[in-house]
Amino acid sequence: MVLKKFKDDYQEFHPDFAFLFNSYYQSVGDRTLRSDRGSITRPGVQEVYAYRKHVDQHMETLLEAETSHELDQLVTLGLNHEEQHQELLITD
């Protein structure tokens, strides 16, 4: 969501990952129905680590440059959202 919007030369890691990892946001494209989440095949751990490395490197480059208020707010919102996932892992 951030890289596509703010980094003109950003190339997705894998064309199917936007669909695969989108379970909530209709505004960013098609998503897996909640009832079907358990029936899809997900990438292995090594591929997910490679994906995270790809995204992290591009985010680092983006954030090292001068940022805008809009970008700052979106990154903060994203970090808060991810923090909620971590909290659910601990409390559930």
Side-chain angles (χ1 to χ4, degrees), residues 9-26:
D9 62 343
Y10 179 67
Q11 296 292 316
E12 290 181 293
F13 178 80
H14 191 290
D16 294 336
F17 277 22
F19 174 80
L20 184 63
F21 292 121
N22 179 21
S23 58
Y24 299 103
Y25 305 105
Q26 294 175 341

Side-chain angles (χ1 to χ4, degrees), residues 32-88:
T32 304
L33 297 175
R34 287 182 188 203
S35 60
D36 293 340
R37 286 185 198 166
S39 64
I40 58 175
T41 302
R42 291 175 173 77
V45 171
Q46 294 301 336
E47 190 171 15
V48 171
Y49 282 155
Y51 168 61
R52 286 299 329 150
K53 183 177 180 179
H54 173 85
V55 171
D56 289 347
Q57 288 174 336
H58 285 279
M59 283 297 296
E60 185 175 322
T61 302
L62 177 65
L63 296 174
E64 284 175 347
E66 188 173 325
T67 62
S68 67
H69 181 68
E70 181 185 10
L71 175 59
D72 292 345
Q73 286 187 316
L74 191 56
V75 169
T76 299
L77 179 65
L79 290 171
N80 289 333
H81 176 87
E82 292 306 315
E83 184 179 56
Q84 289 176 333
H85 285 290
Q86 300 299 316
E87 290 169 352
L88 288 171

